[in-house]
Amino acid sequence: MPKLKTNKSASKRFKRTASGGFKHRSSGKNHILTKKPKKRKAHLKGLSVVKACDVESVARMLNDK
């Protein structure tokens, strides 16, 4: 059986955490930032954890067990 290919776009967006989950960057922080309030941009800062209902699909894209 051939090797499985990793979804490259997912591999650039998600990283595995030590506890087995996945972390990702918040969306909406790339462009058109002048009309967004400081508070909204501040809340988008940092990394978020992928919700439990989506962990299985992210793991499948990254070929993680």
Side-chain angles (χ1 to χ4, degrees), residues 2-5 7 14 17 22-23 25-26 29 32-33 36 38 41 46-50 54-55 62:
K3 293 181 180 178
L4 293 173
K5 286 192 173 183
N7 185 316
F14 300 103
T17 62
F22 292 97
K23 57 187 175 180
R25 210 181 110 205
S26 298
K29 193 92 191 322
I32 315 176
L33 297 173
K36 294 174 186 166
K38 278 185 179 181
K41 290 186 280 190
L47 299 174
S48 304
V49 179
V50 173
D54 296 323
V55 168
L62 299 177

Side-chain angles (χ1 to χ4, degrees), residues 42-59:
H43 281 286
L44 292 172
K45 186 170 62 173
L47 299 174
S48 304
V49 179
V50 173
K51 295 186 178 172
C53 60
D54 296 323
V55 168
E56 185 181 341
S57 60
V58 172

